[in-house]
């Protein structure tokens, strides 16, 4: 694939992206709406591997790259959302924030000594102009200043603020209600009210359970099957059985002139660096390989000024297996915005007997996984394998809206691994 072909394909994927995004269910999805906007990150407490959940007052940074050295006056607007990420229309802006909305992003810097020119923008909360007040979900939309802010943003960044009032406990089981130490994992969890008064838990509580921060397989607002005076429990629910998957693949590119971790070869084509990864294939037996469950870290060999000195390059992924005749195959990770990204859709090469795709990514360390996507849900059985031993991360969010309240407060949160 030539550089020109890759760029053309990328542009086609972005057109499809706009169509698909308009059809998706409401969910927490940090995403770009422009092929020029890349590497959109929500970073909590300076740790890029943490989920986008912070306690009120903790630092939340939003950062992205625009692929040029031309300055654009971007502005950001903050919106408070319900537990299902729909806009909350019952409270006023002054209820959930102090300061001004629609402010410009004033912290930006151009890339240095990179073949792909870009400008890195960043801003954080709380800042001198804005302080967020309520626990719950926040969507930040970024607009190009020359546009009317009532039009589409160039990106959206989503995060949640926590005020811990309820205790959440969870257990991951490999002895599930459908098999014993085979292809699945099952979650049992409980919520203790603490000092909170809950009259009708099925109406007042809203829960979200995610495996490796994936929204396509998230279990949303499942009613509890055990209720008592001090809390509720979810035990032996078939809805909380997840495909176990396999450990994520990983690669690292610290120097564009040297083959990094799991990189087969580096090349210069046209005006662009290309990295071709070693081909992968579905596994027949479980193999332990430490990973970060789909996360990524932007960095280069010098590990200084990573935001502006890391290069962009096309990374080529290869999955060797016979062609599947149901659904499509995608390469996925938290860097692909948590849903099947059209740019990451793979095509089958009859000559190679493999699926392949090329994605423009910034230098760093990445986890990835191949998934067969059917009806919007990614499956790993035929692309990776499913093994009960796989270490997965499960995230549980608990929202509470007491009777008469006007918003969903995030009051419980836990991360567990099997």
């Amino acid at each position: 694939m030539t550089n020109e072909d890759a760029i053309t394909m990328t542009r086609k994927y972005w057109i499809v992206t706009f169509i698909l995004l308009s059809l998706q269910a409401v969910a927490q999805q940090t995403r770009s709406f422009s092929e020029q906007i890349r590497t959109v990150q929500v970073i909590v407490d300076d740790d890029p591997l943490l989920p986008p959940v912070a306690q009120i007052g903790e630092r939340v940074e939003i950062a992205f790259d625009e692929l040029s050295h031309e300055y654009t006056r971007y502005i950001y607007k903050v919106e408070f959302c319900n537990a299902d990420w729909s806009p909350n229309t019952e409270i006023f802006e002054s209820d959930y924030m102090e300061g001004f909305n629609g402010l410009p992003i004033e912290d930006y810097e151009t890339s240095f000594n990179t073949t792909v020119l870009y400008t890195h923008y960043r801003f954080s909360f709380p800042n001198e102009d804005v302080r967020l007040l309520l626990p719950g979900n926040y969507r930040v939309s970024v607009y190009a200043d020359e546009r009317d802010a009532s039009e589409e943003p160039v990106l959206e960044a989503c995060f949640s603020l926590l005020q811990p009032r309820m205790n959440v406990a969870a257990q991951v089981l490999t002895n599930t209600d459908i098999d014993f130490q085979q292809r699945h994992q099952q979650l049992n969890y409980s919520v203790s009210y603490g000092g909170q008064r809950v009259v009708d838990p099925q109406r007042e509580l809203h829960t979200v359970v995610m495996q490796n921060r994936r929204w396509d397989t998230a279990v949303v607002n499942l009613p509890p099957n055990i209720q008592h005076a001090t809390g509720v429990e979810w035990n032996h629910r078939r809805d909380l059985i997840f495909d176990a998957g396999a450990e994520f693949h990983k690669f690292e590119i610290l120097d564009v002139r040297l083959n990094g971790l799991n990189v087969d070869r580096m090349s210069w084509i046209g005006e662009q660096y290309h990295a071709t990864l070693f081909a992968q294939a579905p596994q027949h037996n479980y193999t332990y390989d430490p990973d970060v469950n789909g996360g990524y870290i932007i960095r280069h060999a010098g590990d200084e000024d990573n935001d502006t000195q890391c290069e962009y390059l096309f990374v080529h992924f290869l999955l060797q297996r016979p062609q599947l005749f149901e659904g499509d195959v995608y390469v996925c990770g938290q860097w692909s915005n948590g849903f099947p990204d059209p740019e990451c859709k793979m095509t089958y090469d009859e000559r190679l007997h493999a699926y392949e795709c090329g994605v423009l990514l910034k230098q760093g360390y990445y986890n990835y996984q191949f998934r067969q996507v059917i009806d919007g849900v990614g499956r790993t059985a035929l692309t990776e394998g499913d093994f009960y031993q796989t270490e997965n991360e499960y995230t549980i969010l608990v929202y509470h809206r007491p009777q008469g309240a006007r918003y969903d407060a995030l009051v419980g949160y836990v991360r567990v691994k099997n």
Side-chain angles (χ1 to χ4, degrees):
M1 178 187 294
T2 66
N3 184 42
E4 289 77 12
D5 290 339
I7 293 174
T8 299
M9 187 175 296
T10 296
R11 288 173 177 167
K12 290 180 180 178
Y13 285 147
W14 277 105
I15 293 173
V16 178
T17 300
F18 296 136
I19 297 173
L20 291 180
L21 290 177
S22 65
L23 300 175
Q24 289 185 10
V26 176
Q28 177 208 39
Q29 293 175 341
T30 293
R31 56 198 180 185
S32 165
F33 296 97
S34 168
E35 64 182 88
Q36 292 297 108
I37 303 297
R38 295 279 172 166
T39 318
V40 182
Q41 293 181 283
V42 178
I43 302 173
V44 173
D45 199 25
D46 295 320
D47 187 344
L49 297 178
L50 288 177
V53 180
Q55 293 202 34
I56 292 179
E58 286 186 329
R59 185 171 183 267
V60 178
E61 178 182 293
I62 297 171
F64 63 94
D65 295 334
E66 194 269 325
L67 297 186
S68 81
H69 273 185
E70 299 295 327
Y71 167 72
T72 300
R73 188 175 185 270
Y74 288 110
I75 61 172
Y76 66 89
K77 297 192 71 176
V78 183
E79 180 181 35
F80 190 78
C81 297
N82 297 313
D84 64 0
W85 290 94
S86 61
N88 183 306
T89 58
E90 299 182 52
I91 63 175
F92 299 104
E93 188 176 282
S94 58
D95 291 325
Y96 64 83
M97 63 178 289
E98 287 182 352
F100 303 95
N101 226 338
L103 293 174
I105 301 174
E106 297 179 338
D107 188 354
Y108 59 91
E109 188 177 2
T110 56
S111 62
F112 176 74
N113 200 28
T114 59
T115 58
V116 174
L117 303 181
Y118 61 89
T119 302
H120 183 75
Y121 294 83
R122 68 173 76 86
F123 59 102
S124 62
F125 300 102
N127 58 49
E128 294 180 354
D129 301 303
V130 177
R131 187 166 72 92
L132 304 178
L133 305 175
L134 298 181
N137 294 339
Y138 289 85
R139 177 182 291 111
V140 179
S141 300
V142 175
Y143 299 86
D145 192 42
E146 62 268 18
R147 298 183 182 183
D148 184 338
S150 64
E151 297 182 0
E152 287 293 323
V154 297
L155 68 89
E156 290 179 348
C158 297
F159 61 92
S160 303
L161 294 185
L162 169 71
Q163 191 171 69
R165 299 172 183 167
M166 297 186 185
N167 182 61
V168 185
Q171 181 184 23
V172 183
L173 307 174
T174 57
N175 181 10
T176 76
D177 288 350
I178 60 175
D179 58 21
F180 175 73
Q181 294 187 348
Q182 293 185 31
R183 299 179 52 247
H184 299 90
Q185 295 173 354
Q186 185 164 2
L187 199 68
N188 290 341
Y189 72 99
S190 63
V191 175
S192 175
Y193 299 150
Q196 300 299 298
R197 183 171 182 266
V198 179
V199 177
D200 186 347
Q202 294 201 28
R203 289 179 179 271
E204 295 180 34
L205 299 181
H206 183 105
T207 60
V208 178
V209 179
M210 288 182 287
Q211 182 195 64
N212 299 328
R213 307 181 212 172
R214 292 176 54 184
W215 279 101
D216 60 328
T217 58
V219 179
V220 179
N221 217 22
L222 181 68
N225 60 339
I226 300 175
Q227 299 185 28
H228 43 79
T230 59
V232 286
E233 299 179 20
W234 290 256
N235 284 332
H236 295 286
R237 298 298 303 270
R238 291 181 70 93
D239 302 89
L240 292 172
I241 298 175
F242 295 82
D243 294 342
E247 304 295 354
F248 282 79
H249 308 290
K250 55 191 173 185
F251 71 89
E252 186 171 52
I253 301 173
L254 299 181
D255 190 324
V256 294
R257 300 168 189 82
L258 299 174
N259 294 354
L261 174 68
N262 291 327
V263 176
D264 184 18
R265 65 184 183 274
M266 300 291 302
S267 55
W268 174 263
I269 303 175
E271 298 179 352
Q272 184 76 57
Y273 285 108
H274 290 248
T276 301
L277 307 182
F278 285 110
Q280 303 292 341
Q283 300 179 41
H284 299 292
N285 298 290
Y286 173 74
T287 301
Y288 175 70
D289 190 14
D291 62 14
V292 292
N293 295 311
Y296 68 105
I297 301 173
I298 301 301
R299 64 186 181 196
H300 65 103
D303 205 25
E304 294 182 357
D305 299 320
N306 292 314
D307 292 335
T308 55
Q309 292 190 21
C310 284
E311 184 65 85
Y312 272 91
L313 63 163
F314 275 99
V315 179
H316 297 269
F317 300 86
L318 202 65
L319 171 65
Q320 288 192 316
R321 61 145 297 121
Q323 187 173 8
L324 296 167
F325 294 100
E326 185 179 11
D328 296 302
V329 176
Y330 289 77
V331 58
C332 301
Q334 290 167 23
W335 47 271
S336 65
N337 301 320
F339 63 97
D341 189 332
E343 186 178 0
C344 300
K345 182 178 177 179
M346 308 187 78
T347 58
Y348 195 76
D349 189 316
E350 294 283 359
R351 179 179 58 88
L352 297 174
H353 302 289
Y355 285 91
E356 65 90 23
C357 75
V359 184
L360 186 66
L361 294 174
K362 199 173 183 179
Q363 264 182 285
Y365 168 85
Y366 288 80
N367 279 189
Y368 68 96
Q369 199 172 61
F370 300 108
R371 298 174 191 155
Q372 179 188 19
V373 177
I374 302 173
D375 295 330
V377 178
R379 305 296 184 188
T380 50
L382 301 179
T383 56
E384 298 284 358
D386 288 313
F387 308 98
Y388 75 92
Q389 303 99 320
T390 303
E391 182 188 71
N392 291 304
E393 177 187 270
Y394 292 89
T395 304
I396 302 172
L397 302 169
V398 179
Y399 300 85
H400 184 213
R401 181 185 289 214
Q403 294 181 6
R406 296 180 297 147
Y407 70 93
D408 300 314
L410 179 59
V411 296
Y413 164 66
V414 72
R415 297 162 60 205
V416 294
K417 295 181 181 180
N418 57 305

